[in-house]
């Protein structure tokens, strides 16, 4: 909604805008003293046993994709999330790619996905030769809106046998890729119902949501498959890394096979039985991951405390709204966010300039993916909520180390 963003009320006096920006800076300073900055958007907190595990891994010589830390990291992920199986990968994008392949996504299929997400969500769809089909979000969690999704599918979907087709493009709609934006859980129960009704496979992009829950289950344990990310800017990091979660033992086995170049399990043969990927997480990264998972409860606790401070600081300031966790789950508060009320939306560039200049690294929400050059001509539902919020929202410094 760049049009709305441009609709600056002509009568907005500069002084009024300055006063608003000063008020926001004031509230920021109440949480993070400017003299102690600058404050990056998100920094890892590496401590605990990290040095010991990484040194042990180096000493062992098992630094690459075979090793005890990878297995241990996967076991710990299973424990942490409650998923049946976890397969560690080189990054979250690779995990997403394999999730979609295992969900049966093929060339010229369509995958439903929200536009307000990191570009990897759509790139992974494209890696399968399929097309992202953008659907709108709801304003509470910024996750896919199940009501709007159902209405859209009722309008355009056509069941042929048990396969859902987009009647406008003639292509199968194979999967729904739900994103837990900034760590806030999407409305999984309702989304699962819509997916079931149209026989569309539910996959979760839980890259931002380790430690979040929707209902009584972890984010990443609602779909048939889910992807996590452990990039340096995520809640825990392995340097670069990701994981595939699934409850299905057969899918887990195939995920393992697809990510390890389809190596045949035979010590007497160096053979492969299909074209596959070199997507396994190296042991060195997994060693760091094991230490980070031990720290996860304390990281989540710090992030929750920081979110409480932001919430309190901005409560009662007209013109901004703190994006809080939804009633249907718990957020890991990966990235805290504010949205400007519509009359203030046009001030975002000035405000962000002032905030960044003062040492608060704040950035606007993701540009909606259908606004990027490579995704401009994809099938889509009307996405007024995504467009509106993308124009009004920005993220606040959110590192666990700030507490
Ligand atoms: C970070 C992220 C990814 C990709 O993870 P990488 O590990 O950076 O490849 C995918 N989807 C979303 C929503 C993300 O935030």
């Amino acid at each position: 909604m760049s049009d709305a963003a441009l609709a600056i009320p002509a009568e907005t006096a500069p002084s009024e805008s300055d006063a608003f920006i000063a008020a926001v800076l004031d509230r920021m300073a109440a949480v993070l003293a400017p003299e102690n900055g600058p404050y990056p958007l998100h920094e890892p907190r590496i401590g605990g046993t990290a040095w010991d595990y990484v040194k042990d891994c180096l000493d062992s010589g098992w630094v690459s994709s075979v090793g005890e830390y990878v297995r241990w990291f996967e076991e710990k992920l299973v424990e942490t999330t409650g998923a049946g199986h976890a397969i560690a990968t080189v990054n979250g994008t690779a995990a997403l790619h394999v999730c979609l392949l295992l969900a049966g996504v093929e060339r010229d299929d369509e995958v439903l996905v929200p536009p307000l997400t990191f570009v990897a969500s759509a790139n992974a769809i494209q890696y399968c030769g399929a097309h992202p089909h953008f659907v709108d979000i709801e304003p509470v969690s910024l996750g896919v809106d199940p009501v709007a999704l159902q209405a859209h599918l009722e309008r355009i979907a056509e069941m042929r046998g048990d396969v859902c087709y987009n009647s406008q493009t003639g292509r199968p709609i194979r999967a729904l890729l739900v994103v837990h934006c900034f760590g806030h859980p999407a409305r999984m129960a309702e989304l699962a119902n819509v997916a079931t009704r149209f026989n569309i496979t539910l996959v979760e992009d839980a890259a931002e949501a380790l430690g979040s829950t929707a209902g009584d289950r972890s984010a990443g344990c609602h779909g048939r498959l889910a992807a996590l990310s452990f990039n340096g800017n995520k809640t825990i990091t392995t340097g670069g890394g990701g994981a595939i979660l699934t409850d299905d033992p057969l899918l887990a086995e195939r995920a393992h096979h697809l990510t390890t170049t389809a190596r045949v399990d035979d010590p007497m043969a160096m053979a492969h039985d299909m074209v596959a990927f070199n997507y396994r997480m190296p042991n060195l990264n997994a060693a760091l991951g094991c230490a980070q998972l031990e720290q996860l409860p304390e990281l989540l606790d710090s992030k929750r405390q920081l979110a409480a401070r932001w919430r309190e600081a901005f409560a009662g300031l007209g013109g901004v709204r703190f994006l809080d966790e939804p009633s249907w789950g718990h957020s890991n508060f990966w990235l805290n966010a504010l949205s400007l009320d519509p009359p203030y939306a046009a001030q975002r560039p000035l405000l962000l300039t002032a905030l960044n200049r003062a040492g608060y690294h704040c950035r606007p929400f993701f540009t909606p993916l259908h606004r990027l050059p490579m995704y401009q001509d994809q099938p889509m539902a009307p996405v007024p909520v995504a467009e509106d919020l993308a124009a009004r929202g920005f993220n606040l410094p959110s590192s666990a180390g700030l507490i």
Side-chain angles (χ1 to χ4, degrees):
M1 182 148 307
S2 44
D3 292 345
L6 289 172
I8 304 170
E11 66 274 18
T12 302
S15 59
E16 205 178 298
S17 159
D18 290 350
F20 175 64
I21 289 171
V24 173
L25 278 168
D26 224 45
R27 308 282 170 132
M28 299 289 296
V31 177
L32 301 174
E35 60 273 21
N36 298 334
Y39 299 101
L41 187 68
H42 202 283
E43 274 186 320
R45 183 156 89 189
I46 295 170
T49 51
W51 276 106
D52 295 335
Y53 292 171
V54 171
K55 180 174 186 309
D56 177 55
C57 182
L58 290 172
D59 290 342
S60 76
W62 291 96
V63 293
S64 215
S65 296
V66 179
E68 285 307 304
Y69 282 109
V70 179
R71 270 236 308 270
W72 195 27
F73 183 56
E74 290 172 342
E75 279 169 21
K76 282 172 171 283
L77 279 175
V78 163
E79 254 172 57
T80 302
T81 60
H85 306 269
I87 297 90
T89 59
V90 285
N91 57 51
T93 311
L96 264 184
H97 182 196
V98 171
C99 283
L100 292 169
L101 290 173
L102 292 177
V105 175
E106 295 180 353
R107 179 160 299 281
D108 291 330
D109 286 352
E110 291 179 11
V111 176
L112 303 165
V113 65
L116 191 74
T117 178
F118 183 56
V119 69
S121 308
N123 286 350
I125 295 167
Q126 205 83 44
Y127 297 166
C128 302
H131 298 269
H133 177 148
F134 298 114
V135 293
D136 209 5
I137 58 171
E138 48 80 22
V140 176
S141 68
L142 310 186
V144 171
D145 182 341
V147 176
L149 177 66
Q150 167 141 342
H152 178 61
L153 288 174
E154 276 167 1
R155 221 163 30 239
I156 64 135
E158 178 190 320
M159 297 304 291
R160 295 188 209 155
D162 58 2
V163 179
C164 178
Y165 279 78
N166 178 345
S167 63
Q168 297 172 340
T169 60
R171 295 191 289 239
I173 300 176
R174 199 71 68 180
L176 164 62
L177 180 59
V178 170
V179 181
H180 304 289
C181 194
F182 307 139
H184 299 308
R187 297 196 83 117
M188 294 316 295
E190 292 84 350
L191 290 167
N193 284 340
V194 179
T196 302
R197 186 170 152 208
F198 290 89
N199 200 30
I200 294 169
T201 303
L202 181 60
V203 180
E204 293 171 81
D205 182 342
E208 302 172 1
L210 179 67
S212 303
T213 58
D216 54 5
R217 263 177 297 159
S218 294
C221 293
H222 295 259
R224 212 157 141 64
L225 296 137
L228 298 174
S229 167
F230 314 113
N231 192 35
N233 62 348
K234 295 288 169 34
T235 300
I236 69 158
T237 187
T238 58
I244 299 161
L245 302 180
T246 183
D247 281 338
D248 183 329
L250 268 174
L251 286 179
E253 208 178 296
R254 291 178 59 207
H256 188 278
H257 199 55
L258 267 179
T259 52
T260 49
T261 60
R263 175 97 190 261
V264 175
D265 190 15
D266 175 356
M268 292 301 113
M270 181 57 189
H272 308 258
D273 60 12
M274 64 187 289
V275 178
F277 307 96
N278 180 13
Y279 275 178
R280 279 292 270 178
M281 176 182 283
N283 206 41
L284 190 51
N285 301 75
L288 176 55
C290 289
Q292 286 268 285
L293 273 181
E294 290 172 2
Q295 276 184 271
L296 181 65
E298 120 203 8
L299 294 172
L300 291 174
D301 190 50
S302 296
K303 288 175 80 65
R304 179 161 290 274
Q305 286 182 47
L306 179 62
R309 290 209 201 164
W310 286 131
R311 177 191 300 118
E312 196 184 336
F314 288 104
L317 176 64
V320 298
R321 183 175 75 91
F322 177 72
L323 189 78
D324 219 328
E325 73 187 340
S327 59
W328 53 83
H330 289 286
S331 179
N332 64 2
F333 290 102
W334 172 54
L335 282 189
N336 291 289
L338 290 179
S339 63
L340 297 170
D341 292 347
Y344 293 85
Q347 315 223 14
R348 190 173 66 172
L350 269 180
L351 177 62
L352 289 181
T353 304
L355 288 171
N356 282 285
R357 203 172 281 151
Y360 303 109
H361 289 171
C362 298
R363 73 170 185 211
F365 283 180
F366 303 110
T367 299
L369 299 187
H370 62 281
R371 297 278 177 202
L372 301 181
M374 61 288 193
Y375 292 123
Q376 268 171 8
D377 299 315
Q378 300 302 321
M380 60 188 294
V383 294
V385 179
E387 295 233 319
D388 175 38
L389 282 164
R392 296 198 278 120
F394 62 96
N395 293 112
L396 299 168
S398 299
S399 312
L402 294 176
I403 290 291

